[in-house]
Amino acid sequence: MFCESDNATLADLEEFVSANGDITWYATQTGGDVLTTSTTLRDGITYYATSTGTDSDCESSERLAVTITLESCEFPEAFSPNGDGVNDRFFIRNL
């Protein structure tokens, strides 16, 4: 999961993808131009990854689809446990 304010890129996403060899990213399931790892992730967009084997230059025949969900990871500016129902609990979402 990435926060909207992270400005995450495909390089950040790549840390969560396991592959034997190099990963290549595409914007489409078939064909299309190669995306750079500096491409900024956008909410709701699906990116497609292939792997190139370490022993050869052959690219995998199927592309792994990864759809991005960017979360709002804002933190409350105040914590006031005074029983008024506003910011009475300190809770960090997505932790």
Side-chain angles (χ1 to χ4, degrees):
M1 186 219 53
F2 295 103
C3 296
E4 293 171 340
S5 60
D6 288 342
N7 294 319
T9 64
L10 284 173
D12 299 314
L13 178 61
E14 206 166 281
E15 293 179 23
F16 298 98
V17 177
S18 175
N20 294 327
D22 295 325
I23 298 173
T24 304
W25 293 97
Y26 296 90
T28 58
Q29 190 170 10
T30 58
D33 294 327
V34 173
L35 300 173
T36 66
T37 55
S38 63
T39 300
T40 303
L41 301 178
R42 294 184 14 213
D43 188 50
I45 299 298
T46 301
Y47 300 93
Y48 299 88
T50 62
S51 176
T52 304
T54 55
D55 297 336
S56 69
D57 290 333
C58 294
E59 188 174 83
S60 58
S61 61
E62 292 187 36
R63 294 183 181 176
L64 171 68
V66 180
T67 302
I68 302 301
T69 301
L70 298 177
E71 298 286 333
S72 174
C73 300
E74 297 175 15
F75 296 101
E77 294 181 17
F79 171 56
S80 60
N82 58 4
D84 68 355
V86 178
N87 294 328
D88 284 337
R89 294 181 47 212
F90 183 72
F91 176 76
I92 301 174
R93 289 181 38 196
N94 303 315
L95 184 65

